[in-house]
Amino acid sequence: MSKIPVIEIFGPTIQGEGSVIGVKTMFVRTYGCDYRCAWCDSAFTWDGSAKDQVRMLEASEIVSELAALAAGNFEWVTISGGNPALIGQPIQELADQLHQLGIKVAVETQGSKWQDWFRSVDVLTLSPKPPSSRMHTDWSVLDRIIEQMPSGTSNLKVVVFDDEDYRYAKTVHRRYPDIPFFLQAGNSDVQEEGNISDRLLKKLNWLMDKVIADPDMNDARTLPQLHALVWHNKRGK
């Protein structure tokens, strides 16, 4: 049986982003990413700094560990990374086992790679990266993912740091006007210690003012990164 490279399993916590923001969830964070975002808040999943923490786990082992942490106290599991879309069939096995237990599955990915198991999850959050990340969007891949996803299961999220990112977000929204679209104010310093709420709220206020003044964003939903607002840069929250 194939295995999944896992760097973290934690929870229950509150989802801080996307369409299931505010929902209690467990997290399974996979190791490895095909991007190198300049402001990545989970660079330990790909930069080698935590490679000694990676465990190769079968789907059944992950399910058992989730149950040991919080049996009966969650109905959602979020699979994130890194980029879990780098992993094939083992994620399908994990989703199937969780569904057999009545657990819903959400996945977070930047939309750089298609996997057939995307069709099996309850929520797929696609978070294409804006110019401030220094990454480049392959629109043909993102088009394919959105075209192949079952109706009502995918959403788009763009983290915005500056005016150029905001213009990019508008491009995404125009390209996929029928997909639920979320804007989130970015955290520009993921290493800062202590209470960063004031800085994050100022950025959120800036973003909200732009959306309020922009008729192209009438259907967009503007959110904080809730976990960063409440728990700051603490890992495992």
Side-chain angles (χ1 to χ4, degrees):
M1 185 175 293
S2 50
K3 297 185 178 183
I4 299 170
V6 175
I7 193 165
E8 283 187 322
I9 299 176
F10 64 92
T13 186
I14 301 297
Q15 173 60 261
E17 301 183 294
S19 64
V20 289
I21 188 170
V23 173
K24 180 165 46 172
T25 186
M26 303 294 288
F27 269 85
V28 176
R29 191 182 294 279
T30 64
Y31 189 78
C33 192
D34 50 334
Y35 275 21
R36 299 292 184 266
C37 295
W39 34 250
C40 181
D41 63 358
S42 53
F44 61 90
T45 63
W46 52 261
D47 67 5
S49 63
K51 62 182 179 181
D52 59 333
Q53 299 173 31
V54 179
R55 295 179 293 154
M56 300 302 297
L57 300 178
E58 295 178 359
S60 59
E61 293 175 308
I62 295 171
V63 172
S64 294
E65 190 162 328
L66 290 166
L69 284 171
N73 195 29
F74 65 94
E75 294 184 6
W76 282 88
V77 169
T78 300
I79 304 172
S80 65
N83 184 9
L86 300 181
I87 304 165
Q89 181 62 26
I91 299 288
Q92 179 72 67
E93 295 167 6
L94 176 59
D96 289 346
Q97 290 187 33
L98 290 169
H99 283 148
Q100 289 169 11
L101 297 171
I103 304 298
K104 294 180 281 291
V105 178
V107 170
E108 300 176 353
T109 177
Q110 63 263 44
S112 61
K113 184 176 177 62
W114 166 260
Q115 290 285 359
D116 288 342
W117 57 257
F118 283 177
R119 298 191 186 97
S120 299
V121 304
D122 299 280
V123 172
L124 180 71
T125 295
L126 299 163
S127 184
K129 304 309 179 187
S132 64
S133 71
R134 301 179 192 160
M135 299 293 105
H136 301 283
T137 301
D138 186 331
W139 297 104
S140 64
V141 174
L142 193 55
D143 288 347
R144 182 188 176 208
I145 293 172
I146 288 174
E147 288 167 2
Q148 294 192 94
M149 284 300 294
S151 177
T153 58
S154 58
N155 67 93
L156 286 156
K157 178 195 73 180
V158 177
V159 180
V160 176
F161 289 82
D162 54 32
D163 288 335
E164 189 177 11
D165 286 357
Y166 186 77
R167 289 190 291 271
Y168 171 89
K170 291 180 66 168
T171 298
V172 173
H173 192 31
R174 289 193 195 105
R175 191 177 184 98
Y176 312 108
D178 298 325
I179 306 298
F181 184 69
F182 296 84
L183 290 164
Q184 293 195 217
N187 177 7
S188 58
D189 186 354
V190 298
Q191 302 298 326
E192 182 181 354
E193 298 181 357
N195 191 327
I196 62 173
S197 299
D198 185 62
R199 173 168 61 79
L200 295 179
L201 287 170
K202 287 178 181 177
K203 178 64 72 172
L204 178 62
N205 185 70
W206 167 83
L207 180 58
M208 291 174 70
D209 283 346
K210 293 187 75 67
V211 171
I212 288 168
D214 189 347
D216 289 337
M217 290 295 192
N218 288 351
D219 289 333
R221 302 166 195 182
T222 309
L223 300 171
Q225 288 185 306
L226 186 61
H227 56 294
L229 188 62
V230 175
W231 291 304
H232 318 302
N233 285 324
K234 185 176 180 180
R235 181 173 161 182
K237 285 291 189 179

